[in-house]
Amino acid sequence: MSGFTVAIDGPAAAGKGTIAREVAAHFGFAHLDTGLLYRATGRRVLAGEDPIAAAQALAPQDLQGEGLRSGEVAQAASKVAAIPEVRAALLEFQRRFARLPGGAVLDGRDIGTVICPDAEVKLFVTASDDVRAARRFLELSPKNPDLTLEQVQADLAARDARDAARDTAPLKPAEDAVMLDTTELGIDEAVAAAVAEISARRAG
Ligand code: DC
């Protein structure tokens, strides 16, 4: 099979990452969490680098290591993501990844709209604000005992507002995206819904 792209977009903590990972494992596709590119750029900026130079210099080892998942790095990621030159620096890598011959799943904010407008499948994953905050709190609190649910709610609200309001590649569903609301779904059910959608497109 040559090139089958699944684009998964949505706001923070809606379940995109888990769905993308599981779907990639199910179909044997490669998976790219594109938020990591912005987080790695944001981490370099927190260390004092210029955002555009940081994005242009990004290397594979930047996508590993401590702290990429922290709230501080998430905010920095959301800020650098509003800079058009940062997005431009990261675009080609994502497009090449999307056309890997064995199939690819990319999750982010602008995959279906900007990076891969011709993706074979586009999903837009959402969940209520409360459910998203609760999920992210459960994920982060074991490593951050001082973290409060209110802090997580504020972080998500600030990022979503910034990500949706920016001029370049804002967070929004592609016109042909299939909406997947995970508010009432467990992980297995959400993954099953995504797998069913992708299987139908592959068959048809
Ligand atoms: O998916 P995430 O929470 O790891 O993403 C961190 C930030 O990166 C997010 O707030 C906005 C930005 N981002 C983006 O602008 N475009 C993407 N395709 C992925 C992430």
Side-chain angles (χ1 to χ4, degrees), residues 109-148:
R109 305 292 188 288
D110 63 337
I111 308 304
T113 50
V114 173
I115 305 292
C116 305
D118 298 328
E120 279 74 11
V121 181
K122 297 179 186 178
L123 302 176
F124 195 86
V125 181
T126 60
S128 73
D129 293 355
D130 286 350
V131 163
R132 291 191 295 121
R135 286 182 190 157
R136 187 51 51 95
F137 178 70
L138 283 177
E139 183 189 324
L140 294 178
S141 56
K143 281 193 178 168
N144 308 273
D146 296 335
L147 190 71
T148 66

PDB file of all heavy atoms in Angstrom, residues 109-148:
ATOM      1  N   ARG A 109      -3.402  19.895  15.436  1.00  0.00           N
ATOM      2  CA  ARG A 109      -4.463  20.904  15.375  1.00  0.00           C
ATOM      3  C   ARG A 109      -4.847  21.258  13.939  1.00  0.00           C
ATOM      4  O   ARG A 109      -5.965  21.694  13.683  1.00  0.00           O
ATOM      5  CB  ARG A 109      -4.015  22.208  16.074  1.00  0.00           C
ATOM      6  CG  ARG A 109      -3.548  22.062  17.519  1.00  0.00           C
ATOM      7  CD  ARG A 109      -4.703  21.700  18.425  1.00  0.00           C
ATOM      8  NE  ARG A 109      -4.334  21.739  19.846  1.00  0.00           N
ATOM      9  CZ  ARG A 109      -3.548  20.849  20.432  1.00  0.00           C
ATOM     10  NH1 ARG A 109      -3.042  19.850  19.737  1.00  0.00           N
ATOM     11  NH2 ARG A 109      -3.283  20.945  21.727  1.00  0.00           N
ATOM     12  N   ASP A 110      -3.880  21.125  13.011  1.00  0.00           N
ATOM     13  CA  ASP A 110      -4.064  21.610  11.641  1.00  0.00           C
ATOM     14  C   ASP A 110      -3.733  20.529  10.619  1.00  0.00           C
ATOM     15  O   ASP A 110      -3.396  20.837   9.483  1.00  0.00           O
ATOM     16  CB  ASP A 110      -3.138  22.813  11.400  1.00  0.00           C
ATOM     17  CG  ASP A 110      -1.661  22.421  11.508  1.00  0.00           C
ATOM     18  OD1 ASP A 110      -1.357  21.405  12.170  1.00  0.00           O
ATOM     19  OD2 ASP A 110      -0.817  23.107  10.906  1.00  0.00           O
ATOM     20  N   ILE A 111      -3.801  19.273  11.017  1.00  0.00           N
ATOM     21  CA  ILE A 111      -3.373  18.206  10.103  1.00  0.00           C
ATOM     22  C   ILE A 111      -4.364  18.105   8.938  1.00  0.00           C
ATOM     23  O   ILE A 111      -3.982  18.086   7.773  1.00  0.00           O
ATOM     24  CB  ILE A 111      -3.241  16.850  10.836  1.00  0.00           C
ATOM     25  CG1 ILE A 111      -2.367  16.994  12.094  1.00  0.00           C
ATOM     26  CG2 ILE A 111      -2.667  15.797   9.892  1.00  0.00           C
ATOM     27  CD1 ILE A 111      -0.993  17.549  11.857  1.00  0.00           C
ATOM     28  N   GLY A 112      -5.662  18.066   9.255  1.00  0.00           N
ATOM     29  CA  GLY A 112      -6.659  17.934   8.197  1.00  0.00           C
ATOM     30  C   GLY A 112      -6.865  19.204   7.390  1.00  0.00           C
ATOM     31  O   GLY A 112      -7.310  19.158   6.249  1.00  0.00           O
ATOM     32  N   THR A 113      -6.536  20.356   7.965  1.00  0.00           N
ATOM     33  CA  THR A 113      -6.792  21.630   7.275  1.00  0.00           C
ATOM     34  C   THR A 113      -5.595  22.109   6.466  1.00  0.00           C
ATOM     35  O   THR A 113      -5.758  22.637   5.371  1.00  0.00           O
ATOM     36  CB  THR A 113      -7.172  22.727   8.292  1.00  0.00           C
ATOM     37  OG1 THR A 113      -6.186  22.728   9.341  1.00  0.00           O
ATOM     38  CG2 THR A 113      -8.543  22.503   8.873  1.00  0.00           C
ATOM     39  N   VAL A 114      -4.374  21.949   7.014  1.00  0.00           N
ATOM     40  CA  VAL A 114      -3.192  22.581   6.398  1.00  0.00           C
ATOM     41  C   VAL A 114      -2.118  21.564   6.007  1.00  0.00           C
ATOM     42  O   VAL A 114      -1.608  21.583   4.889  1.00  0.00           O
ATOM     43  CB  VAL A 114      -2.569  23.619   7.377  1.00  0.00           C
ATOM     44  CG1 VAL A 114      -1.254  24.159   6.827  1.00  0.00           C
ATOM     45  CG2 VAL A 114      -3.552  24.746   7.633  1.00  0.00           C
ATOM     46  N   ILE A 115      -1.770  20.672   6.907  1.00  0.00           N
ATOM     47  CA  ILE A 115      -0.641  19.772   6.640  1.00  0.00           C
ATOM     48  C   ILE A 115      -1.044  18.728   5.594  1.00  0.00           C
ATOM     49  O   ILE A 115      -0.320  18.516   4.624  1.00  0.00           O
ATOM     50  CB  ILE A 115      -0.167  19.063   7.945  1.00  0.00           C
ATOM     51  CG1 ILE A 115       0.167  20.094   9.029  1.00  0.00           C
ATOM     52  CG2 ILE A 115       1.023  18.135   7.664  1.00  0.00           C
ATOM     53  CD1 ILE A 115       1.364  20.953   8.753  1.00  0.00           C
ATOM     54  N   CYS A 116      -2.182  18.112   5.787  1.00  0.00           N
ATOM     55  CA  CYS A 116      -2.612  17.028   4.889  1.00  0.00           C
ATOM     56  C   CYS A 116      -4.059  17.244   4.443  1.00  0.00           C
ATOM     57  O   CYS A 116      -4.956  16.460   4.803  1.00  0.00           O
ATOM     58  CB  CYS A 116      -2.532  15.686   5.604  1.00  0.00           C
ATOM     59  SG  CYS A 116      -0.927  15.322   6.290  1.00  0.00           S
ATOM     60  N   PRO A 117      -4.313  18.278   3.642  1.00  0.00           N
ATOM     61  CA  PRO A 117      -5.709  18.509   3.219  1.00  0.00           C
ATOM     62  C   PRO A 117      -6.272  17.357   2.393  1.00  0.00           C
ATOM     63  O   PRO A 117      -7.491  17.226   2.284  1.00  0.00           O
ATOM     64  CB  PRO A 117      -5.620  19.808   2.402  1.00  0.00           C
ATOM     65  CG  PRO A 117      -4.179  20.040   2.131  1.00  0.00           C
ATOM     66  CD  PRO A 117      -3.383  19.302   3.147  1.00  0.00           C
ATOM     67  N   ASP A 118      -5.389  16.503   1.845  1.00  0.00           N
ATOM     68  CA  ASP A 118      -5.856  15.359   1.059  1.00  0.00           C
ATOM     69  C   ASP A 118      -5.822  14.043   1.845  1.00  0.00           C
ATOM     70  O   ASP A 118      -5.869  12.964   1.238  1.00  0.00           O
ATOM     71  CB  ASP A 118      -4.992  15.198  -0.207  1.00  0.00           C
ATOM     72  CG  ASP A 118      -5.107  16.421  -1.102  1.00  0.00           C
ATOM     73  OD1 ASP A 118      -6.192  17.041  -1.110  1.00  0.00           O
ATOM     74  OD2 ASP A 118      -4.111  16.773  -1.766  1.00  0.00           O
ATOM     75  N   ALA A 119      -5.728  14.112   3.155  1.00  0.00           N
ATOM     76  CA  ALA A 119      -5.688  12.884   3.954  1.00  0.00           C
ATOM     77  C   ALA A 119      -6.894  11.999   3.636  1.00  0.00           C
ATOM     78  O   ALA A 119      -8.008  12.507   3.430  1.00  0.00           O
ATOM     79  CB  ALA A 119      -5.678  13.231   5.445  1.00  0.00           C
ATOM     80  N   GLU A 120      -6.659  10.704   3.607  1.00  0.00           N
ATOM     81  CA  GLU A 120      -7.743   9.766   3.280  1.00  0.00           C
ATOM     82  C   GLU A 120      -8.816   9.768   4.363  1.00  0.00           C
ATOM     83  O   GLU A 120     -10.005   9.568   4.082  1.00  0.00           O
ATOM     84  CB  GLU A 120      -7.178   8.351   3.102  1.00  0.00           C
ATOM     85  CG  GLU A 120      -6.559   8.087   1.738  1.00  0.00           C
ATOM     86  CD  GLU A 120      -5.197   8.753   1.527  1.00  0.00           C
ATOM     87  OE1 GLU A 120      -4.606   9.263   2.500  1.00  0.00           O
ATOM     88  OE2 GLU A 120      -4.730   8.766   0.373  1.00  0.00           O
ATOM     89  N   VAL A 121      -8.425   9.959   5.615  1.00  0.00           N
ATOM     90  CA  VAL A 121      -9.383  10.014   6.727  1.00  0.00           C
ATOM     91  C   VAL A 121      -9.037  11.210   7.604  1.00  0.00           C
ATOM     92  O   VAL A 121      -7.868  11.431   7.925  1.00  0.00           O
ATOM     93  CB  VAL A 121      -9.335   8.735   7.592  1.00  0.00           C
ATOM     94  CG1 VAL A 121     -10.360   8.814   8.718  1.00  0.00           C
ATOM     95  CG2 VAL A 121      -9.566   7.489   6.750  1.00  0.00           C
ATOM     96  N   LYS A 122     -10.069  11.979   7.968  1.00  0.00           N
ATOM     97  CA  LYS A 122      -9.867  13.103   8.891  1.00  0.00           C
ATOM     98  C   LYS A 122     -10.836  12.950  10.060  1.00  0.00           C
ATOM     99  O   LYS A 122     -12.051  12.855   9.837  1.00  0.00           O
ATOM    100  CB  LYS A 122     -10.152  14.431   8.198  1.00  0.00           C
ATOM    101  CG  LYS A 122      -9.216  14.728   7.045  1.00  0.00           C
ATOM    102  CD  LYS A 122      -9.576  16.058   6.403  1.00  0.00           C
ATOM    103  CE  LYS A 122      -8.744  16.282   5.162  1.00  0.00           C
ATOM    104  NZ  LYS A 122      -9.095  17.543   4.489  1.00  0.00           N
ATOM    105  N   LEU A 123     -10.293  12.931  11.244  1.00  0.00           N
ATOM    106  CA  LEU A 123     -11.129  12.870  12.443  1.00  0.00           C
ATOM    107  C   LEU A 123     -10.900  14.134  13.257  1.00  0.00           C
ATOM    108  O   LEU A 123      -9.759  14.607  13.356  1.00  0.00           O
ATOM    109  CB  LEU A 123     -10.766  11.654  13.306  1.00  0.00           C
ATOM    110  CG  LEU A 123     -10.874  10.275  12.659  1.00  0.00           C
ATOM    111  CD1 LEU A 123     -10.385   9.204  13.642  1.00  0.00           C
ATOM    112  CD2 LEU A 123     -12.314   9.984  12.245  1.00  0.00           C
ATOM    113  N   PHE A 124     -11.967  14.675  13.838  1.00  0.00           N
ATOM    114  CA  PHE A 124     -11.831  15.805  14.755  1.00  0.00           C
ATOM    115  C   PHE A 124     -12.376  15.343  16.100  1.00  0.00           C
ATOM    116  O   PHE A 124     -13.574  15.090  16.245  1.00  0.00           O
ATOM    117  CB  PHE A 124     -12.575  17.039  14.240  1.00  0.00           C
ATOM    118  CG  PHE A 124     -12.174  18.302  14.946  1.00  0.00           C
ATOM    119  CD1 PHE A 124     -11.070  19.041  14.515  1.00  0.00           C
ATOM    120  CD2 PHE A 124     -12.884  18.761  16.048  1.00  0.00           C
ATOM    121  CE1 PHE A 124     -10.683  20.209  15.163  1.00  0.00           C
ATOM    122  CE2 PHE A 124     -12.496  19.930  16.709  1.00  0.00           C
ATOM    123  CZ  PHE A 124     -11.406  20.653  16.260  1.00  0.00           C
ATOM    124  N   VAL A 125     -11.489  15.192  17.059  1.00  0.00           N
ATOM    125  CA  VAL A 125     -11.824  14.586  18.348  1.00  0.00           C
ATOM    126  C   VAL A 125     -12.085  15.679  19.375  1.00  0.00           C
ATOM    127  O   VAL A 125     -11.250  16.571  19.564  1.00  0.00           O
ATOM    128  CB  VAL A 125     -10.673  13.674  18.829  1.00  0.00           C
ATOM    129  CG1 VAL A 125     -11.030  13.019  20.155  1.00  0.00           C
ATOM    130  CG2 VAL A 125     -10.345  12.617  17.781  1.00  0.00           C
ATOM    131  N   THR A 126     -13.233  15.610  20.020  1.00  0.00           N
ATOM    132  CA  THR A 126     -13.582  16.598  21.045  1.00  0.00           C
ATOM    133  C   THR A 126     -14.022  15.879  22.323  1.00  0.00           C
ATOM    134  O   THR A 126     -14.252  14.663  22.322  1.00  0.00           O
ATOM    135  CB  THR A 126     -14.769  17.490  20.598  1.00  0.00           C
ATOM    136  OG1 THR A 126     -15.904  16.642  20.362  1.00  0.00           O
ATOM    137  CG2 THR A 126     -14.437  18.251  19.336  1.00  0.00           C
ATOM    138  N   ALA A 127     -14.154  16.640  23.390  1.00  0.00           N
ATOM    139  CA  ALA A 127     -14.779  16.172  24.635  1.00  0.00           C
ATOM    140  C   ALA A 127     -15.129  17.435  25.415  1.00  0.00           C
ATOM    141  O   ALA A 127     -14.540  18.502  25.150  1.00  0.00           O
ATOM    142  CB  ALA A 127     -13.845  15.276  25.436  1.00  0.00           C
ATOM    143  N   SER A 128     -16.033  17.315  26.371  1.00  0.00           N
ATOM    144  CA  SER A 128     -16.426  18.503  27.150  1.00  0.00           C
ATOM    145  C   SER A 128     -15.211  19.057  27.897  1.00  0.00           C
ATOM    146  O   SER A 128     -14.257  18.328  28.195  1.00  0.00           O
ATOM    147  CB  SER A 128     -17.523  18.142  28.147  1.00  0.00           C
ATOM    148  OG  SER A 128     -16.963  17.378  29.205  1.00  0.00           O
ATOM    149  N   ASP A 129     -15.269  20.340  28.236  1.00  0.00           N
ATOM    150  CA  ASP A 129     -14.160  20.977  28.955  1.00  0.00           C
ATOM    151  C   ASP A 129     -13.870  20.252  30.273  1.00  0.00           C
ATOM    152  O   ASP A 129     -12.704  20.027  30.620  1.00  0.00           O
ATOM    153  CB  ASP A 129     -14.498  22.446  29.262  1.00  0.00           C
ATOM    154  CG  ASP A 129     -14.588  23.288  27.986  1.00  0.00           C
ATOM    155  OD1 ASP A 129     -14.297  22.753  26.900  1.00  0.00           O
ATOM    156  OD2 ASP A 129     -14.966  24.468  28.095  1.00  0.00           O
ATOM    157  N   ASP A 130     -14.929  19.897  31.002  1.00  0.00           N
ATOM    158  CA  ASP A 130     -14.732  19.254  32.308  1.00  0.00           C
ATOM    159  C   ASP A 130     -14.050  17.899  32.165  1.00  0.00           C
ATOM    160  O   ASP A 130     -13.165  17.552  32.941  1.00  0.00           O
ATOM    161  CB  ASP A 130     -16.077  19.081  33.032  1.00  0.00           C
ATOM    162  CG  ASP A 130     -16.589  20.400  33.578  1.00  0.00           C
ATOM    163  OD1 ASP A 130     -15.816  21.380  33.567  1.00  0.00           O
ATOM    164  OD2 ASP A 130     -17.765  20.446  34.000  1.00  0.00           O
ATOM    165  N   VAL A 131     -14.490  17.132  31.184  1.00  0.00           N
ATOM    166  CA  VAL A 131     -13.914  15.795  30.994  1.00  0.00           C
ATOM    167  C   VAL A 131     -12.463  15.908  30.552  1.00  0.00           C
ATOM    168  O   VAL A 131     -11.585  15.173  31.024  1.00  0.00           O
ATOM    169  CB  VAL A 131     -14.758  14.991  29.980  1.00  0.00           C
ATOM    170  CG1 VAL A 131     -13.999  13.797  29.441  1.00  0.00           C
ATOM    171  CG2 VAL A 131     -16.047  14.521  30.648  1.00  0.00           C
ATOM    172  N   ARG A 132     -12.171  16.836  29.680  1.00  0.00           N
ATOM    173  CA  ARG A 132     -10.784  16.998  29.229  1.00  0.00           C
ATOM    174  C   ARG A 132      -9.878  17.399  30.399  1.00  0.00           C
ATOM    175  O   ARG A 132      -8.782  16.873  30.564  1.00  0.00           O
ATOM    176  CB  ARG A 132     -10.707  18.038  28.105  1.00  0.00           C
ATOM    177  CG  ARG A 132     -11.366  17.539  26.831  1.00  0.00           C
ATOM    178  CD  ARG A 132     -11.085  18.433  25.633  1.00  0.00           C
ATOM    179  NE  ARG A 132     -11.653  19.757  25.735  1.00  0.00           N
ATOM    180  CZ  ARG A 132     -10.960  20.888  25.702  1.00  0.00           C
ATOM    181  NH1 ARG A 132      -9.649  20.874  25.570  1.00  0.00           N
ATOM    182  NH2 ARG A 132     -11.569  22.049  25.801  1.00  0.00           N
ATOM    183  N   ALA A 133     -10.354  18.338  31.215  1.00  0.00           N
ATOM    184  CA  ALA A 133      -9.541  18.783  32.352  1.00  0.00           C
ATOM    185  C   ALA A 133      -9.328  17.638  33.344  1.00  0.00           C
ATOM    186  O   ALA A 133      -8.223  17.440  33.852  1.00  0.00           O
ATOM    187  CB  ALA A 133     -10.207  19.971  33.042  1.00  0.00           C
ATOM    188  N   ALA A 134     -10.377  16.866  33.597  1.00  0.00           N
ATOM    189  CA  ALA A 134     -10.257  15.751  34.544  1.00  0.00           C
ATOM    190  C   ALA A 134      -9.255  14.719  34.031  1.00  0.00           C
ATOM    191  O   ALA A 134      -8.404  14.219  34.783  1.00  0.00           O
ATOM    192  CB  ALA A 134     -11.627  15.113  34.774  1.00  0.00           C
ATOM    193  N   ARG A 135      -9.314  14.415  32.744  1.00  0.00           N
ATOM    194  CA  ARG A 135      -8.385  13.430  32.175  1.00  0.00           C
ATOM    195  C   ARG A 135      -6.942  13.927  32.270  1.00  0.00           C
ATOM    196  O   ARG A 135      -6.039  13.177  32.640  1.00  0.00           O
ATOM    197  CB  ARG A 135      -8.722  13.182  30.705  1.00  0.00           C
ATOM    198  CG  ARG A 135      -9.970  12.345  30.500  1.00  0.00           C
ATOM    199  CD  ARG A 135     -10.165  12.142  29.001  1.00  0.00           C
ATOM    200  NE  ARG A 135     -11.459  11.548  28.713  1.00  0.00           N
ATOM    201  CZ  ARG A 135     -12.072  11.655  27.546  1.00  0.00           C
ATOM    202  NH1 ARG A 135     -11.519  12.334  26.562  1.00  0.00           N
ATOM    203  NH2 ARG A 135     -13.242  11.084  27.347  1.00  0.00           N
ATOM    204  N   ARG A 136      -6.723  15.192  31.912  1.00  0.00           N
ATOM    205  CA  ARG A 136      -5.353  15.719  31.937  1.00  0.00           C
ATOM    206  C   ARG A 136      -4.834  15.802  33.373  1.00  0.00           C
ATOM    207  O   ARG A 136      -3.665  15.534  33.634  1.00  0.00           O
ATOM    208  CB  ARG A 136      -5.328  17.089  31.243  1.00  0.00           C
ATOM    209  CG  ARG A 136      -3.962  17.720  31.023  1.00  0.00           C
ATOM    210  CD  ARG A 136      -2.922  16.847  30.370  1.00  0.00           C
ATOM    211  NE  ARG A 136      -3.250  16.174  29.146  1.00  0.00           N
ATOM    212  CZ  ARG A 136      -2.991  16.605  27.922  1.00  0.00           C
ATOM    213  NH1 ARG A 136      -2.410  17.761  27.748  1.00  0.00           N
ATOM    214  NH2 ARG A 136      -3.286  15.886  26.870  1.00  0.00           N
ATOM    215  N   PHE A 137      -5.748  16.124  34.318  1.00  0.00           N
ATOM    216  CA  PHE A 137      -5.351  16.189  35.723  1.00  0.00           C
ATOM    217  C   PHE A 137      -4.888  14.812  36.210  1.00  0.00           C
ATOM    218  O   PHE A 137      -3.844  14.679  36.858  1.00  0.00           O
ATOM    219  CB  PHE A 137      -6.528  16.692  36.563  1.00  0.00           C
ATOM    220  CG  PHE A 137      -6.235  16.742  38.041  1.00  0.00           C
ATOM    221  CD1 PHE A 137      -5.353  17.685  38.556  1.00  0.00           C
ATOM    222  CD2 PHE A 137      -6.836  15.845  38.903  1.00  0.00           C
ATOM    223  CE1 PHE A 137      -5.072  17.733  39.909  1.00  0.00           C
ATOM    224  CE2 PHE A 137      -6.557  15.883  40.263  1.00  0.00           C
ATOM    225  CZ  PHE A 137      -5.679  16.824  40.763  1.00  0.00           C
ATOM    226  N   LEU A 138      -5.660  13.777  35.851  1.00  0.00           N
ATOM    227  CA  LEU A 138      -5.279  12.418  36.265  1.00  0.00           C
ATOM    228  C   LEU A 138      -3.933  12.013  35.666  1.00  0.00           C
ATOM    229  O   LEU A 138      -3.152  11.299  36.292  1.00  0.00           O
ATOM    230  CB  LEU A 138      -6.342  11.413  35.818  1.00  0.00           C
ATOM    231  CG  LEU A 138      -7.617  11.376  36.644  1.00  0.00           C
ATOM    232  CD1 LEU A 138      -8.609  10.391  36.035  1.00  0.00           C
ATOM    233  CD2 LEU A 138      -7.297  10.987  38.093  1.00  0.00           C
ATOM    234  N   GLU A 139      -3.666  12.484  34.456  1.00  0.00           N
ATOM    235  CA  GLU A 139      -2.421  12.141  33.766  1.00  0.00           C
ATOM    236  C   GLU A 139      -1.221  12.844  34.402  1.00  0.00           C
ATOM    237  O   GLU A 139      -0.153  12.237  34.575  1.00  0.00           O
ATOM    238  CB  GLU A 139      -2.581  12.566  32.303  1.00  0.00           C
ATOM    239  CG  GLU A 139      -1.446  12.247  31.375  1.00  0.00           C
ATOM    240  CD  GLU A 139      -1.679  12.935  30.013  1.00  0.00           C
ATOM    241  OE1 GLU A 139      -2.840  13.042  29.556  1.00  0.00           O
ATOM    242  OE2 GLU A 139      -0.686  13.390  29.417  1.00  0.00           O
ATOM    243  N   LEU A 140      -1.403  14.113  34.761  1.00  0.00           N
ATOM    244  CA  LEU A 140      -0.249  14.916  35.213  1.00  0.00           C
ATOM    245  C   LEU A 140      -0.033  14.875  36.719  1.00  0.00           C
ATOM    246  O   LEU A 140       1.097  15.045  37.189  1.00  0.00           O
ATOM    247  CB  LEU A 140      -0.426  16.390  34.787  1.00  0.00           C
ATOM    248  CG  LEU A 140      -0.396  16.683  33.290  1.00  0.00           C
ATOM    249  CD1 LEU A 140      -0.632  18.176  33.034  1.00  0.00           C
ATOM    250  CD2 LEU A 140       0.929  16.258  32.662  1.00  0.00           C
ATOM    251  N   SER A 141      -1.110  14.661  37.503  1.00  0.00           N
ATOM    252  CA  SER A 141      -0.969  14.840  38.953  1.00  0.00           C
ATOM    253  C   SER A 141      -0.018  13.841  39.634  1.00  0.00           C
ATOM    254  O   SER A 141       0.631  14.224  40.613  1.00  0.00           O
ATOM    255  CB  SER A 141      -2.332  14.857  39.650  1.00  0.00           C
ATOM    256  OG  SER A 141      -3.044  13.713  39.352  1.00  0.00           O
ATOM    257  N   PRO A 142       0.131  12.585  39.157  1.00  0.00           N
ATOM    258  CA  PRO A 142       1.078  11.705  39.857  1.00  0.00           C
ATOM    259  C   PRO A 142       2.494  12.277  39.927  1.00  0.00           C
ATOM    260  O   PRO A 142       3.205  12.088  40.904  1.00  0.00           O
ATOM    261  CB  PRO A 142       1.053  10.413  39.035  1.00  0.00           C
ATOM    262  CG  PRO A 142      -0.258  10.433  38.332  1.00  0.00           C
ATOM    263  CD  PRO A 142      -0.574  11.878  38.079  1.00  0.00           C
ATOM    264  N   LYS A 143       2.895  12.997  38.876  1.00  0.00           N
ATOM    265  CA  LYS A 143       4.247  13.579  38.870  1.00  0.00           C
ATOM    266  C   LYS A 143       4.281  14.992  39.433  1.00  0.00           C
ATOM    267  O   LYS A 143       5.358  15.558  39.634  1.00  0.00           O
ATOM    268  CB  LYS A 143       4.800  13.606  37.436  1.00  0.00           C
ATOM    269  CG  LYS A 143       5.326  12.264  36.964  1.00  0.00           C
ATOM    270  CD  LYS A 143       6.119  12.443  35.695  1.00  0.00           C
ATOM    271  CE  LYS A 143       6.687  11.120  35.227  1.00  0.00           C
ATOM    272  NZ  LYS A 143       7.221  11.206  33.868  1.00  0.00           N
ATOM    273  N   ASN A 144       3.101  15.596  39.623  1.00  0.00           N
ATOM    274  CA  ASN A 144       3.016  16.975  40.134  1.00  0.00           C
ATOM    275  C   ASN A 144       2.019  17.025  41.284  1.00  0.00           C
ATOM    276  O   ASN A 144       0.882  17.456  41.102  1.00  0.00           O
ATOM    277  CB  ASN A 144       2.533  17.943  39.050  1.00  0.00           C
ATOM    278  CG  ASN A 144       3.328  17.839  37.780  1.00  0.00           C
ATOM    279  OD1 ASN A 144       4.347  18.484  37.626  1.00  0.00           O
ATOM    280  ND2 ASN A 144       2.860  17.018  36.861  1.00  0.00           N
ATOM    281  N   PRO A 145       2.418  16.590  42.477  1.00  0.00           N
ATOM    282  CA  PRO A 145       1.448  16.494  43.577  1.00  0.00           C
ATOM    283  C   PRO A 145       0.797  17.833  43.931  1.00  0.00           C
ATOM    284  O   PRO A 145      -0.299  17.850  44.497  1.00  0.00           O
ATOM    285  CB  PRO A 145       2.285  15.962  44.752  1.00  0.00           C
ATOM    286  CG  PRO A 145       3.664  15.764  44.246  1.00  0.00           C
ATOM    287  CD  PRO A 145       3.753  16.152  42.810  1.00  0.00           C
ATOM    288  N   ASP A 146       1.432  18.952  43.589  1.00  0.00           N
ATOM    289  CA  ASP A 146       0.860  20.258  43.944  1.00  0.00           C
ATOM    290  C   ASP A 146      -0.142  20.771  42.911  1.00  0.00           C
ATOM    291  O   ASP A 146      -0.805  21.786  43.137  1.00  0.00           O
ATOM    292  CB  ASP A 146       1.968  21.316  44.089  1.00  0.00           C
ATOM    293  CG  ASP A 146       2.904  20.975  45.238  1.00  0.00           C
ATOM    294  OD1 ASP A 146       2.465  20.258  46.158  1.00  0.00           O
ATOM    295  OD2 ASP A 146       4.071  21.402  45.192  1.00  0.00           O
ATOM    296  N   LEU A 147      -0.223  20.093  41.788  1.00  0.00           N
ATOM    297  CA  LEU A 147      -1.107  20.549  40.709  1.00  0.00           C
ATOM    298  C   LEU A 147      -2.565  20.485  41.150  1.00  0.00           C
ATOM    299  O   LEU A 147      -2.978  19.539  41.814  1.00  0.00           O
ATOM    300  CB  LEU A 147      -0.902  19.636  39.488  1.00  0.00           C
ATOM    301  CG  LEU A 147      -1.547  20.066  38.178  1.00  0.00           C
ATOM    302  CD1 LEU A 147      -0.840  21.284  37.604  1.00  0.00           C
ATOM    303  CD2 LEU A 147      -1.474  18.911  37.163  1.00  0.00           C
ATOM    304  N   THR A 148      -3.357  21.492  40.775  1.00  0.00           N
ATOM    305  CA  THR A 148      -4.791  21.463  41.094  1.00  0.00           C
ATOM    306  C   THR A 148      -5.600  21.341  39.801  1.00  0.00           C
ATOM    307  O   THR A 148      -5.129  21.705  38.716  1.00  0.00           O
ATOM    308  CB  THR A 148      -5.235  22.756  41.815  1.00  0.00           C
ATOM    309  OG1 THR A 148      -5.095  23.855  40.902  1.00  0.00           O
ATOM    310  CG2 THR A 148      -4.411  23.008  43.061  1.00  0.00           C
TER     311      THR A 148
END
